[in-house]
Amino acid sequence: MKIKSVAVLGAGAVGSYVIWGLSEKKDIRLGVIASGERAKEAHGVDFLIVSLKYGALPGALDDITAVTGENTVIMSLMNGVDSEEIIAEKAGAEAFSVPARIGLWTK
């Protein structure tokens, strides 16, 4: 899969660094997601990077699902050992790249 569109949810220190690094890539469409309508505008991006503070995750789950399309791959850059599991429960484990697909979170 060629990544053509990337969205970043969370523009703090980590998210801003990722945005800065990706901003020079001319072959991708880059978006920064805020809650609500902006999340809906990004629906179906190829790659979603979640870089929120752990405490903000529960309030962002609806935005994550609004952005996630059938082929969206999610990568979490969050602290917390269960952030990926929480996102996977809402968005589906198949949306994650390697960790979920190798059964890292199977119960």
Side-chain angles (χ1 to χ4, degrees), residues 27-85:
D27 58 341
I28 64 166
R29 184 172 44 102
L30 177 62
V32 179
I33 305 303
S35 62
E37 290 302 312
R38 296 272 317 240
K40 292 175 188 171
E41 290 174 17
H43 177 75
V45 295
D46 297 326
F47 192 53
L48 172 62
I49 300 169
V50 181
S51 58
L52 302 167
K53 295 214 180 292
Y54 185 79
L57 180 58
L61 290 172
D62 287 340
D63 293 327
I64 291 170
T65 56
V67 171
T68 306
E70 184 177 320
N71 297 311
T72 302
V73 175
I74 301 171
M75 179 175 69
S76 173
L77 299 179
M78 296 178 57
N79 290 333
V81 296
D82 63 345
S83 63
E84 291 92 351
E85 186 173 298

